[in-house]
Amino acid sequence: MDNISRRGLLTGVGALLAAGSLGVSTASARSLALPASKRFKMSATTNEFFRHKPLWGPRVMQSFAFDTPNNRLFAGQLRSETPENSGDLTLSQLDFSGNVLGHMYLTGFGHAVSIGAEAVGSTSYIWTETDADTTNGRGRQITRFPWQNGKTLTSASVTKWKPVSGASVYTPAVDQRFGRLGVRHARSDGMYINVYSLAAARTGDFSTVLASFKQPALTAGIDFQGWALYGSYCYFWEGEAYPGEPDETKATSKLWCYDINAGVLVDSFLTLAGKSLTYREPEGMAVYGSTDGTARLYFGFASGEPGDRRANLFYRNTLV
């Protein structure tokens, strides 16, 4: 997170500060429904993908996304040469061993709390926030652009959309398996997520909302660190950084699963994955897989010392 708190911005204008509990409905704040799907089990076996890998820049990984059909992985972070609230980002492309294959720079885009990837043939399109508000470094719109290694894009050079009038603090998530785009955004009374057809959204058509719900309260006072969509469920990731190896009795890294149709949190798990990592800040969440049999829910951690932060990925692959 690099000396910037998400509490005020990303847990929702004071509206989500009460601790949530499993089974508490938010039905009054949601609408519409999605075809029912399986969900990832939060307490399933933890699998390690890679550990302590450098990105293109030295700051913490904020988020990551998979282009499943093309077996590509992308990670987002704040650009090291510019102020935090500038909205300047670095994207790295990694192989599945965590080695950097390329990079892009995004000028004036946002904070990269969540990014998405979409395959169009052999081309990877990246979804991010853009049009950064320099008072807080968060994006006021969303965008989509093709991955181009070595390219620098400015917010003024990309097509931008504002799917919800009057909203702010946008972040996207792509559900490749089910062909949907999630758009997380701040309204006056908290954070909401709208779900759209990915095929429609890529043309700029946000007129049909497949589902809409207010983000449930998670753990009071703990930083929000990422989210993902898979079928009829939404996943949330929260936690604080440790200054060194963690005291297990003070662990805060927690996975949450929300049933969009029922409007309830149905599962959560306090994970000690990567507990020996130095710093160990939860950062980013994404889904990989083209079928239930190949599906994995990934969650990330930043590790390392200031000026030399590293990326770490773990995953669950048990569906129930």
Side-chain angles (χ1 to χ4, degrees):
M1 189 167 53
D2 268 14
N3 300 319
I4 185 168
S5 174
R6 297 196 184 99
R7 290 189 190 120
L9 288 167
L10 298 183
T11 53
V13 200
L16 302 179
L17 296 180
S21 59
L22 298 184
V24 176
S25 176
T26 57
S28 62
R30 50 181 191 91
S31 63
L32 310 177
L34 300 171
S37 69
K38 291 185 177 181
R39 64 175 175 86
F40 290 99
K41 184 178 180 180
M42 298 294 89
S43 61
T45 301
T46 296
N47 301 278
E48 183 174 318
F49 196 55
F50 59 67
R51 180 182 291 247
H52 206 56
K53 297 293 185 178
L55 301 178
W56 186 265
R59 297 176 90 165
V60 299
M61 174 182 69
Q62 298 288 344
S63 58
F64 56 93
F66 290 93
D67 170 350
T68 295
N70 291 308
N71 284 320
R72 294 174 186 147
L73 170 61
F74 304 93
Q77 62 190 137
L78 299 181
R79 190 169 176 177
S80 57
E81 304 90 347
T82 58
E84 289 184 0
N85 284 358
S86 67
D88 295 348
L89 304 176
T90 299
L91 295 182
S92 299
Q93 183 186 351
L94 311 173
D95 65 21
F96 282 10
S97 295
N99 302 305
V100 174
L101 302 177
H103 77 285
M104 290 183 73
Y105 290 131
L106 309 179
T107 303
F109 275 59
H111 197 74
V113 172
S114 177
I115 63 174
E118 174 195 0
V120 179
S122 61
T123 301
S124 298
Y125 279 80
I126 309 300
W127 287 84
T128 68
E129 67 199 282
T130 192
D131 185 25
D133 181 344
T134 56
T135 64
N136 57 38
R138 269 52 177 187
R140 293 174 287 197
Q141 301 186 76
I142 60 171
T143 189
R144 170 186 181 269
F145 53 86
W147 171 264
Q148 295 174 278
N149 185 31
K151 184 81 170 179
T152 297
L153 298 179
T154 66
S155 181
S157 70
V158 296
T159 300
K160 296 181 280 287
W161 302 292
K162 194 176 184 68
V164 181
S165 178
S168 61
V169 193
Y170 280 95
T171 56
V174 174
D175 180 350
Q176 296 171 97
R177 165 75 195 286
F178 294 93
R180 299 181 189 126
L181 175 74
V183 178
R184 186 172 180 266
H185 56 281
R187 302 183 195 176
S188 60
D189 62 337
M191 301 303 299
Y192 285 77
I193 293 173
N194 283 7
V195 181
Y196 303 92
S197 159
L198 183 59
R202 73 167 68 105
T203 70
D205 181 1
F206 296 92
S207 60
T208 300
V209 181
L210 303 179
S212 181
F213 59 95
K214 186 176 183 179
Q215 182 179 306
L218 304 178
T219 305
I222 300 300
D223 282 335
F224 182 90
Q225 302 286 13
W227 67 287
L229 285 177
Y230 187 77
S232 57
Y233 293 88
C234 191
Y235 299 88
F236 303 111
W237 181 219
E238 66 177 12
E240 306 289 336
Y242 288 103
E245 292 191 11
D247 176 349
E248 294 183 10
T249 65
K250 298 179 180 179
T252 60
S253 303
K254 197 168 189 177
L255 300 158
W256 295 86
C257 176
Y258 177 80
D259 184 331
I260 296 172
N261 292 336
V264 295
L265 290 164
V266 293
D267 197 5
S268 67
F269 186 76
L270 191 68
T271 181
L272 297 177
K275 65 181 181 180
S276 64
L277 294 171
T278 298
Y279 183 69
R280 191 182 179 268
E281 183 178 20
E283 296 285 3
M285 176 178 262
V287 174
Y288 171 91
S290 57
T291 66
D292 282 352
T294 61
R296 297 176 175 182
L297 176 67
Y298 283 83
F299 52 99
F301 292 97
S303 63
E305 302 296 335
D308 185 26
R309 300 299 195 197
R310 305 295 183 94
N312 307 263
L313 295 190
F314 299 84
Y315 67 90
R316 302 271 196 270
N317 61 353
T318 300
L319 288 163
V320 293

